[in-house]
Amino acid sequence: MRQPGAAATFVVAALFCAPCSAQQSPAGPKDSSRSTGSALKEVLTLRPVFRRYSVDTTTVTEQTGSVEYALSAGRVRVRVSGEPLRFSDGVTAISGATPAQLTLDFRVGRMDTVRISARTPSAPSSLTATQTAVLGSVGTGTLDLESIALGTPAAGGAQVAFARAVGTVVLGLRGGVEVEPRPGVGNSVYWRGTTVRAGGSVTGFAGEFRITGGLDVAKSFSDSLGGRNLFPGGGSFALRADATGLVGTNATLANISAFYFRPLALNRPIQANRLIPTGDFAGASAGLLLPAGRLFVLPSLSVTRESSKAAETFLGQQLTLEGSGLAVSGSLGLDVPVGRHLSFTPEAGFVGGTVRSDLFLTSTGARGISVTVPAAVFSDPVSGFWFALEVSASF
């Protein structure tokens, strides 16, 4: 199943919650196992996407073309992915690519796996002040933009996962570490240093539905790089729940999911690539896979909300910045199989909502009396749409 989803910024994803993109249909990717019964299975997926989003009077476009190759053979699965892109606000354009990734999964037991991963730096690997400001002009978690991954260094990591059946449920535990080498002198980067992760899950069944609940925590060890680091520091705590199963009498597959993400002990929540500080992020989504003859229709709908609060001291006065965002997004796709080994999935989606920021100034008088007054505020509409065409070939 392709996970349902709500859009999330790279800030949230890199802190280890990874709510899935609104551009991904909740009905799930095509099952490559239907193409062959042999031990060796290969799937090549191409997914060009065009996005156009507006925040108040700022409008940006993004064109991406993700490529993924997956190979499964016995207990081993290999995935290689990459994504060239172009981002523009009509004045400043950034052309490059998100980090290319290699992932190796080894099944070492009936339900136990070891994962080894490596990725290249993004291109560009660091961002100028102008590029950072352009990305920050639409930098809210409720808009899904791959360009937010620009300015990230190379990384390598490993993860282990264990699962055991206990009665009628399956319990899972996982843990891992990822290391990003320290960037050299240059422009702004999103550097997490060393990140340690751990999590657990419970999976059970209720009628025709498989239900999974999970918890993940992460802690990163890095520094500000003298003010160049766009990563807010600290760690994160995340909860997620998913339910997938058949409904009705015509083999309709339904998926419902929800997540909650909270950053922990952030050192620098106010960053130039964000409209509002990094904060809590939550969402819920629902989607269907509806059979229509040999085709499948994939509608989905999601709601996401973020909220944050950060304080800074300036010239003896405390500045408090409170931010919030709310968005509703939806999509409609059509899965068109061509024979047993090829399928096309055109998709389109929309998003609408608001993003708001309030700045408060607290002054303390000679007698120790504190007075807080509003200093500035903005409340902007958020809107946009996207188109995609996924082509998947299995061998």
Side-chain angles (χ1 to χ4, degrees):
M1 294 286 295
R2 185 183 298 157
Q3 293 295 324
T9 62
F10 187 72
V11 172
V12 175
L15 282 169
F16 194 50
C17 176
C20 297
S21 162
Q23 275 78 348
Q24 293 181 320
S25 161
K30 275 63 68 179
D31 183 0
S32 61
S33 64
R34 72 186 182 185
S35 63
T36 175
S38 66
L40 179 64
K41 302 170 186 177
E42 300 173 82
V43 180
L44 177 64
T45 303
L46 308 177
R47 185 179 170 83
V49 181
F50 174 82
R51 302 177 177 95
R52 186 180 188 273
Y53 297 140
S54 296
V55 177
D56 195 23
T57 59
T58 300
T59 298
V60 301
T61 59
E62 182 184 71
Q63 298 93 45
T64 64
S66 66
V67 181
E68 180 180 277
Y69 170 75
L71 180 148
S72 298
R75 293 175 174 266
V76 179
R77 177 176 170 84
V78 181
R79 284 182 295 141
V80 182
S81 62
E83 187 171 38
L85 61 81
R86 185 180 188 276
F87 176 92
S88 174
D89 69 346
V91 177
T92 301
I94 308 173
S95 296
T98 62
Q101 179 122 358
L102 170 65
T103 303
L104 303 175
D105 289 316
F106 303 92
R107 186 160 55 87
V108 296
R110 183 170 175 266
M111 293 187 289
D112 305 332
T113 59
V114 174
R115 170 172 292 180
I116 299 174
S117 62
R119 73 164 192 258
T120 66
S122 66
S125 59
S126 63
L127 299 171
T128 66
T130 299
Q131 292 170 331
T132 303
V134 169
L135 292 172
S137 67
V138 289
T140 169
T142 57
L143 288 182
D144 186 35
L145 285 166
E146 303 298 335
S147 301
I148 202 68
L150 296 176
T152 57
Q159 176 180 287
V160 294
F162 306 94
R164 294 292 183 271
V166 180
T168 59
V169 302
V170 176
L171 302 180
L173 292 174
R174 54 188 172 271
V177 61
E178 185 176 72
V179 178
E180 298 177 349
R182 186 182 183 88
V185 176
N187 297 313
S188 296
V189 296
Y190 193 97
W191 176 61
R192 292 173 298 162
T194 298
T195 301
V196 180
R197 299 167 174 165
S201 64
V202 179
T203 301
F205 292 85
E208 298 292 334
F209 276 80
R210 182 184 67 182
I211 301 174
T212 299
L215 177 152
D216 291 289
V217 293
K219 172 64 176 178
S220 294
F221 302 88
S222 62
D223 58 63
S224 69
L225 295 174
R228 294 188 299 117
N229 196 356
L230 298 174
F231 174 61
S236 67
F237 167 84
L239 294 172
R240 188 174 184 93
D242 295 274
T244 303
L246 296 174
V247 295
T249 58
N250 62 342
T252 297
L253 189 64
N255 180 275
I256 303 169
S257 69
F259 71 88
Y260 172 74
F261 166 87
R262 164 163 283 191
L264 302 174
L266 298 186
N267 301 315
R268 302 169 301 277
I270 301 175
Q271 294 290 347
N273 64 339
R274 294 271 299 170
L275 272 175
I276 62 176
T278 302
D280 292 9
F281 192 41
S285 64
L288 299 173
L289 188 150
L290 300 166
R294 296 185 64 252
L295 310 181
F296 294 92
V297 181
L298 301 91
S300 69
L301 185 68
S302 66
V303 178
T304 54
R305 187 180 189 279
E306 59 176 341
S307 60
S308 59
K309 183 176 182 179
E312 296 282 350
T313 300
F314 181 72
L315 298 178
Q317 298 178 319
Q318 180 173 291
L319 301 177
T320 302
L321 185 62
E322 297 182 2
S324 64
L326 177 68
V328 176
S329 60
S331 66
L332 182 65
L334 185 66
D335 186 359
V336 184
V338 180
R340 297 181 57 206
H341 303 287
L342 184 65
S343 67
F344 296 86
T345 307
E347 298 176 88
F350 72 92
V351 62
T354 60
V355 60
R356 179 184 175 92
S357 178
D358 293 270
L359 180 65
F360 298 92
L361 177 64
T362 300
S363 302
T364 302
R367 297 182 179 181
I369 300 176
S370 297
V371 178
T372 299
V373 296
V377 61
F378 76 79
S379 181
D380 295 335
V382 174
S383 62
F385 61 87
W386 58 268
F387 299 103
L389 175 62
E390 182 175 296
V391 181
S392 181
S394 57
F395 310 93

